Amino acid sequence: MIGLKSDFKNSKTSGKSMKFTFWGVRGSIPSPGPRTARYGGNTTCIEVRTDNDTLLILDGGTGLFALAQSLMQNKTGDIDANIFITHSHWDHIHGLPFFTPLFVRGSRVRLHGATDPATGNGIEHVMNVQLQNSYFPVSETQMSATIEYRSLVAGQPVTVGDATIAGVVMNHPVLNLGYRIDCQGKSLFFTGDHEPLYNIHPADHPAHAAYAQHVQARTAAIDAAVMGVDALIVDCSYTREEYPAKQGWGHGTFDAAFDLALRCGARSLYCTHHEPTRSDDELEAVFAAVLARYAPRLHGLTAILAREGLQVILS
Ligand SMILES: [Zn+2]
Ligand SMILES: [Zn+2]
């Protein structure tokens, strides 16, 4: 069963369930204002609560600040947070220095993420670079929480509380791990930023055949990680009409998200990373057009536009 709620309460679920709440659904840059008030202007952040109430957070965009406020208001003990970063682009990390529990003694904050093979920078770099004196007034040594950094390797799952989290390499201009979370038989997958792989060489290019194999292997690895999830949360930045002008920028389309969900037997699809220039009305219009096209072949798949405050219970 998938239950939808629309409030920010951090209530505990009971028995073999997992739930998640969207705190930021916008791509690339925060986009507050009347045109985006219904779906929200904060950048990527998703709160996940496992069956035993372990707190996992997917990405630290500006939505992380609103989540922090909620955690502080509702806290009954020390906050223990595990933040999984998909990649180092601003819209996925910009809320990190404003995660209020960092300033509270007794809090424990673990930042998980991959080491960037291009630079050799570990996950600690996304925090260190933002805490440089030129950009932020407080240094890490002045933060009262216990802060830890955990390097992740794609294909090597880690256990946090009662959940298992596995990263798979997606397709983006920087290394981006998509995360699958499994807990008590429930599962979700979050792509972070992802452009479905395609052959970058024309058909008559000598490297075309080898690259086709590369595309096939990486797509198969992603599909295997997504297979059979209860909830699939996907970067849907563009419409199929907009995409050709943006190919290579590292983002996907609504159509590609639907195709991925159907191919992998996902039970529900949440479209997110909304284009920052798209108003709520425009967003609903383009989504309605995609839904109409896919309606004859959804085979029970539920598809929903992610919005700030949307809470989903998997039970
Ligand atoms: Zn992004
Ligand atoms: Zn990105």
Side-chain angles (χ1 to χ4, degrees), residues 7-294:
D7 61 60
F8 287 104
K9 286 263 160 40
N10 305 102
S11 58
K12 169 102 176 69
T13 55
S14 57
K16 300 222 184 298
S17 63
M18 178 158 63
K19 68 178 178 181
F20 58 95
T21 307
F22 292 98
W23 292 90
V25 299
R26 194 62 52 175
S28 305
I29 188 167
S31 308
R35 297 174 80 247
T36 59
R38 295 202 304 280
Y39 287 85
N42 280 308
T43 63
T44 303
C45 182
I46 305 166
E47 174 190 14
V48 179
R49 291 283 178 171
T50 70
D51 188 53
N52 76 0
D53 214 28
T54 297
L55 171 59
L56 309 176
I57 299 168
L58 295 170
D59 275 341
T62 59
L64 185 65
F65 180 62
L67 169 56
Q69 301 302 297
S70 169
L71 292 171
M72 296 304 294
Q73 281 168 16
N74 298 307
K75 86 188 193 94
T76 53
D78 292 335
I79 290 170
D80 191 326
N82 286 273
I83 305 175
F84 287 78
I85 299 294
T86 60
H87 69 298
S88 58
H89 285 159
W90 286 122
D91 53 318
H92 299 258
I93 65 169
H94 217 157
L96 286 172
F98 299 90
F99 188 56
T100 319
L102 291 168
F103 300 88
V104 179
R105 192 167 304 282
S107 300
R108 185 174 288 269
V109 180
R110 267 175 235 93
L111 205 58
H112 305 253
T115 297
D116 184 340
T119 60
N121 290 327
I123 189 60
E124 67 281 356
H125 187 73
V126 303
M127 187 70 108
N128 294 346
V129 78
Q130 293 188 90
L131 296 184
Q132 288 174 34
N133 189 247
S134 318
Y135 305 117
F136 198 73
V138 183
S139 69
E140 186 172 326
T141 53
Q142 294 171 283
M143 292 177 165
S144 301
T146 301
I147 307 171
E148 298 169 27
Y149 299 98
R150 296 274 198 275
S151 290
L152 298 174
V153 177
Q156 294 183 13
V158 295
T159 301
V160 179
D162 55 346
T164 303
I165 301 96
V168 62
V169 178
M170 309 301 286
N171 187 42
H172 201 54
V174 293
L175 178 66
N176 179 107
L177 289 186
Y179 291 114
R180 179 178 176 126
I181 302 177
D182 282 274
C183 177
Q184 302 281 3
K186 298 297 162 195
S187 54
L188 70 83
F189 187 94
F190 173 51
T191 61
D193 288 0
H194 174 59
E195 178 174 9
L197 288 118
Y198 60 95
N199 202 322
I200 59 174
H201 302 295
D204 58 352
H205 191 279
H208 179 87
Y211 204 84
Q213 284 188 349
H214 168 77
V215 168
Q216 191 180 31
R218 285 189 55 191
T219 302
I222 292 167
D223 286 5
V226 174
M227 200 59 66
V229 282
D230 294 299
L232 174 60
I233 307 165
V234 182
D235 168 3
C236 293
S237 292
Y238 307 131
T239 65
R240 64 179 183 174
E241 292 79 18
E242 293 163 345
Y243 177 71
K246 319 273 187 175
Q247 192 176 45
W249 290 18
H251 300 288
T253 63
F254 290 96
D255 289 67
F258 274 72
D259 291 344
L260 176 66
L262 291 169
R263 195 166 70 234
C264 298
R267 294 180 62 208
S268 58
L269 169 67
Y270 297 85
C271 298
T272 192
H273 207 272
H274 304 316
E275 226 288 318
T277 58
R278 221 187 295 289
S279 70
D280 290 331
D281 290 344
E282 290 163 346
L283 185 58
E284 288 178 348
V286 299
F287 188 66
V290 178
L291 259 186
R293 268 193 286 111
Y294 276 84

